[in-house]
Amino acid sequence: MIIGIILCFIPLIIALLVFTLTKRLKFTHQLLAILFGLVAVIPISFLQFFIPDLSGLFKSPILFSIIRSLILYGLIEEALKTALILPLPHKTYSCFNFLMLAFLMGLALGCFESVVYFFDHMQTAKAKGAQLLFLPIFLRIFTSDIIHVTCTGLGGLFIWSCRNVYGGKKSPRISILITAILLHGFYDFFAGFNNNLRWFSAAVILLAIMECRIKYTALSGDENATV
């Protein structure tokens, strides 16, 4: 069990070491981002595991799954994470450094969420043994953790755009937040399938990475244009 928990936190440990050794982010700010990631995972996990099943209200299970994914995992989760990004330190950071801090918060959330799933699977799969849960942990590192990192990063870029409107010449980029909501919602929708449609979740992850790059380039270009 201890090994499983450690595996869940390996990406977060590596990120902490990289940011600390490169001195790109203050260590106290990193701890704050991790704390907010933990704060975010509590209501998110509660909603995921205890929200009542409303599928009976819909004639189509696919329609219910899409709406549930977009509202629960997209709108509610990304709105909550974005709200928690607001208190993160930002005055001494460039757009890139603030994006890294948001990434760290998203990674912390993903790692804490993996621990929640780890314990949940242990309780529902007693006959299999905990060692069989190691593969799902590795899969979450390269899927769920990445979508949390990228979507939280987009939320961070949205907050950055709200704070840095460049003398009224630029407006907050609400499209960035909408992109995060849609990407996270569609990722969870496709990840819920047990057939080949599940592979579309990988395409969503790649698209999320590209969107982070595109949105960051646009915002940093605006920032440099005013220097």
Side-chain angles (χ1 to χ4, degrees):
M1 183 175 71
I2 295 178
I3 295 177
I5 295 174
I6 293 175
L7 286 175
C8 291
F9 285 109
I10 281 180
L12 184 59
I13 294 171
I14 294 175
L16 269 173
L17 288 173
V18 170
F19 288 137
T20 301
L21 292 176
T22 58
K23 298 181 179 180
R24 185 168 290 278
L25 302 175
K26 292 183 178 180
F27 187 70
T28 54
H29 294 174
Q30 295 180 61
L31 294 181
L32 191 61
I34 293 172
L35 175 62
F36 287 154
L38 173 60
V39 171
V41 82
I42 297 173
I44 289 172
S45 298
F46 178 84
L47 289 172
Q48 290 176 355
F49 288 106
F50 299 105
I51 191 170
D53 185 4
L54 302 176
S55 57
L57 301 177
F58 296 84
K59 294 182 179 180
S60 170
I62 298 296
L63 178 61
F64 168 72
S65 182
I66 292 176
I67 293 176
R68 184 177 188 271
S69 296
L70 289 174
I71 293 178
L72 177 60
Y73 301 107
L75 179 60
I76 296 178
E77 187 167 332
E78 291 308 319
L80 176 62
K81 288 193 295 182
T82 302
L84 288 171
I85 292 173
L86 274 170
L88 288 178
H90 63 279
K91 292 183 178 180
T92 60
Y93 287 143
S94 64
C95 181
F96 179 81
N97 287 346
F98 187 72
L99 175 61
M100 293 300 104
L101 196 61
F103 277 166
L104 186 64
M105 176 182 154
L107 182 59
L109 191 158
C111 292
F112 284 120
E113 189 178 75
S114 293
V115 173
V116 174
Y117 276 94
F118 177 76
F119 282 113
D120 180 66
H121 283 298
M122 283 190 64
Q123 293 178 355
T124 58
K126 295 179 181 179
K128 295 181 180 179
Q131 68 275 11
L132 297 179
L133 299 175
F134 292 161
L135 179 58
I137 291 175
F138 280 114
L139 291 177
R140 286 186 62 84
I141 289 174
F142 295 102
T143 55
S144 181
D145 283 3
I146 294 178
I147 203 69
H148 277 301
V149 167
T150 52
C151 288
T152 308
L154 288 170
L157 291 175
F158 167 68
I159 295 297
W160 182 268
S161 74
C162 292
R163 287 177 172 146
N164 299 271
V165 293
Y166 311 113
K169 297 180 180 179
K170 299 290 181 179
S171 59
R173 306 289 182 85
I174 186 65
S175 62
I176 300 178
L177 182 58
I178 294 175
T179 299
I181 291 171
L182 293 176
L183 286 171
H184 199 161
F186 280 112
Y187 164 79
D188 276 282
F189 169 69
F190 287 117
F193 284 93
N194 293 320
N195 52 32
N196 289 334
L197 287 174
R198 188 180 184 89
W199 289 104
F200 280 98
S201 62
V204 176
I205 292 174
L206 293 177
L207 182 59
I209 295 173
M210 292 173 57
E211 282 296 320
C212 273
R213 175 63 182 173
I214 292 170
K215 305 305 187 196
Y216 163 72
T217 301
L219 288 180
S220 60
D222 290 340
E223 182 183 31
N224 293 333
T226 61
V227 176

